mmCIF file of all heavy atoms in Angstrom:
data_model
loop_
_atom_site.group_PDB
_atom_site.id
_atom_site.type_symbol
_atom_site.label_atom_id
_atom_site.label_comp_id
_atom_site.label_asym_id
_atom_site.label_seq_id
_atom_site.Cartn_x
_atom_site.Cartn_y
_atom_site.Cartn_z
ATOM 1 N N PHE W 135 -3.638 11.657 34.043
ATOM 2 C CA PHE W 135 -4.788 12.183 33.299
ATOM 3 C C PHE W 135 -6.044 11.792 34.098
ATOM 4 O O PHE W 135 -6.779 10.873 33.745
ATOM 5 C CB PHE W 135 -4.863 11.601 31.882
ATOM 6 C CG PHE W 135 -3.817 12.104 30.913
ATOM 7 C CD1 PHE W 135 -3.700 11.539 29.639
ATOM 8 C CD2 PHE W 135 -2.973 13.155 31.232
ATOM 9 C CE1 PHE W 135 -2.760 12.000 28.736
ATOM 10 C CE2 PHE W 135 -2.020 13.621 30.328
ATOM 11 C CZ PHE W 135 -1.911 13.035 29.079
ATOM 12 N N LEU W 136 -6.253 12.482 35.199
ATOM 13 C CA LEU W 136 -7.317 12.109 36.138
ATOM 14 C C LEU W 136 -8.702 12.326 35.531
ATOM 15 O O LEU W 136 -8.938 13.335 34.862
ATOM 16 C CB LEU W 136 -7.208 12.952 37.409
ATOM 17 C CG LEU W 136 -5.963 12.769 38.273
ATOM 18 C CD1 LEU W 136 -6.011 13.745 39.446
ATOM 19 C CD2 LEU W 136 -5.871 11.332 38.766
ATOM 20 N N PRO W 137 -9.622 11.430 35.785
ATOM 21 C CA PRO W 137 -10.999 11.669 35.340
ATOM 22 C C PRO W 137 -11.663 12.763 36.185
ATOM 23 O O PRO W 137 -11.213 13.041 37.303
ATOM 24 C CB PRO W 137 -11.681 10.316 35.559
ATOM 25 C CG PRO W 137 -10.858 9.610 36.569
ATOM 26 C CD PRO W 137 -9.451 10.144 36.465
ATOM 27 N N ALA W 138 -12.706 13.351 35.640
ATOM 28 C CA ALA W 138 -13.416 14.420 36.356
ATOM 29 C C ALA W 138 -13.866 13.920 37.722
ATOM 30 O O ALA W 138 -14.382 12.790 37.853
ATOM 31 C CB ALA W 138 -14.623 14.867 35.538
ATOM 32 N N GLY W 139 -13.641 14.722 38.727
ATOM 33 C CA GLY W 139 -14.097 14.380 40.062
ATOM 34 C C GLY W 139 -13.076 13.623 40.888
ATOM 35 O O GLY W 139 -13.266 13.438 42.087
ATOM 36 N N ALA W 140 -11.972 13.175 40.247
ATOM 37 C CA ALA W 140 -10.944 12.442 41.002
ATOM 38 C C ALA W 140 -9.853 13.408 41.440
ATOM 39 O O ALA W 140 -9.390 14.217 40.646
ATOM 40 C CB ALA W 140 -10.349 11.330 40.143
ATOM 41 N N ALA W 141 -9.441 13.297 42.693
ATOM 42 C CA ALA W 141 -8.403 14.185 43.218
ATOM 43 C C ALA W 141 -7.042 13.505 43.257
ATOM 44 O O ALA W 141 -6.031 14.138 43.540
ATOM 45 C CB ALA W 141 -8.792 14.649 44.613
ATOM 46 N N SER W 142 -7.010 12.209 42.968
ATOM 47 C CA SER W 142 -5.737 11.482 43.015
ATOM 48 C C SER W 142 -5.808 10.295 42.063
ATOM 49 O O SER W 142 -6.898 9.906 41.612
ATOM 50 C CB SER W 142 -5.482 10.954 44.429
ATOM 51 O OG SER W 142 -6.471 9.991 44.747
ATOM 52 N N ALA W 143 -4.634 9.708 41.781
ATOM 53 C CA ALA W 143 -4.598 8.528 40.912
ATOM 54 C C ALA W 143 -5.412 7.390 41.529
ATOM 55 O O ALA W 143 -6.109 6.655 40.813
ATOM 56 C CB ALA W 143 -3.155 8.103 40.682
ATOM 57 N N ALA W 144 -5.338 7.254 42.834
ATOM 58 C CA ALA W 144 -6.093 6.181 43.505
ATOM 59 C C ALA W 144 -7.594 6.374 43.284
ATOM 60 O O ALA W 144 -8.319 5.412 42.988
ATOM 61 C CB ALA W 144 -5.759 6.162 44.990
ATOM 62 N N GLU W 145 -8.053 7.610 43.404
ATOM 63 C CA GLU W 145 -9.481 7.878 43.182
ATOM 64 C C GLU W 145 -9.855 7.648 41.713
ATOM 65 O O GLU W 145 -10.926 7.131 41.401
ATOM 66 C CB GLU W 145 -9.809 9.326 43.570
ATOM 67 C CG GLU W 145 -9.947 9.544 45.062
ATOM 68 C CD GLU W 145 -10.361 10.979 45.409
ATOM 69 O OE1 GLU W 145 -11.073 11.623 44.593
ATOM 70 O OE2 GLU W 145 -9.962 11.430 46.482
ATOM 71 N N GLY W 146 -8.960 8.052 40.818
ATOM 72 C CA GLY W 146 -9.216 7.860 39.387
ATOM 73 C C GLY W 146 -9.340 6.383 39.048
ATOM 74 O O GLY W 146 -10.248 5.966 38.319
ATOM 75 N N LEU W 147 -8.413 5.585 39.581
ATOM 76 C CA LEU W 147 -8.448 4.140 39.319
ATOM 77 C C LEU W 147 -9.699 3.506 39.927
ATOM 78 O O LEU W 147 -10.312 2.627 39.316
ATOM 79 C CB LEU W 147 -7.192 3.478 39.877
ATOM 80 C CG LEU W 147 -5.961 3.570 38.973
ATOM 81 C CD1 LEU W 147 -4.720 3.064 39.694
ATOM 82 C CD2 LEU W 147 -6.185 2.778 37.681
ATOM 83 N N ALA W 148 -10.084 3.974 41.094
ATOM 84 C CA ALA W 148 -11.303 3.439 41.729
ATOM 85 C C ALA W 148 -12.514 3.708 40.837
ATOM 86 O O ALA W 148 -13.382 2.840 40.665
ATOM 87 C CB ALA W 148 -11.493 4.070 43.112
ATOM 88 N N GLN W 149 -12.564 4.890 40.253
ATOM 89 C CA GLN W 149 -13.654 5.215 39.308
ATOM 90 C C GLN W 149 -13.655 4.243 38.131
ATOM 91 O O GLN W 149 -14.695 3.755 37.698
ATOM 92 C CB GLN W 149 -13.455 6.631 38.746
ATOM 93 C CG GLN W 149 -14.109 7.735 39.535
ATOM 94 C CD GLN W 149 -14.112 9.027 38.707
ATOM 95 O OE1 GLN W 149 -14.233 9.008 37.478
ATOM 96 N NE2 GLN W 149 -13.984 10.149 39.382
ATOM 97 N N ALA W 150 -12.448 3.984 37.587
ATOM 98 C CA ALA W 150 -12.348 3.103 36.422
ATOM 99 C C ALA W 150 -12.811 1.690 36.755
ATOM 100 O O ALA W 150 -13.556 1.064 36.000
ATOM 101 C CB ALA W 150 -10.906 3.086 35.906
ATOM 102 N N TYR W 151 -12.393 1.202 37.915
ATOM 103 C CA TYR W 151 -12.787 -0.156 38.305
ATOM 104 C C TYR W 151 -14.293 -0.246 38.530
ATOM 105 O O TYR W 151 -14.933 -1.226 38.140
ATOM 106 C CB TYR W 151 -12.006 -0.612 39.545
ATOM 107 C CG TYR W 151 -10.657 -1.224 39.186
ATOM 108 C CD1 TYR W 151 -9.510 -0.450 39.165
ATOM 109 C CD2 TYR W 151 -10.557 -2.571 38.854
ATOM 110 C CE1 TYR W 151 -8.276 -0.995 38.821
ATOM 111 C CE2 TYR W 151 -9.326 -3.139 38.503
ATOM 112 C CZ TYR W 151 -8.188 -2.341 38.497
ATOM 113 O OH TYR W 151 -6.978 -2.896 38.146
ATOM 114 N N SER W 152 -14.865 0.798 39.136
ATOM 115 C CA SER W 152 -16.314 0.707 39.378
ATOM 116 C C SER W 152 -17.100 0.858 38.084
ATOM 117 O O SER W 152 -18.204 0.340 37.950
ATOM 118 C CB SER W 152 -16.768 1.708 40.441
ATOM 119 O OG SER W 152 -16.609 3.013 39.964
#
Side-chain angles (χ1 to χ4, degrees):
F135 288 173
L136 295 177
S142 65
E145 282 184 30
L147 278 172
Q149 270 193 34
Y151 274 93
S152 66

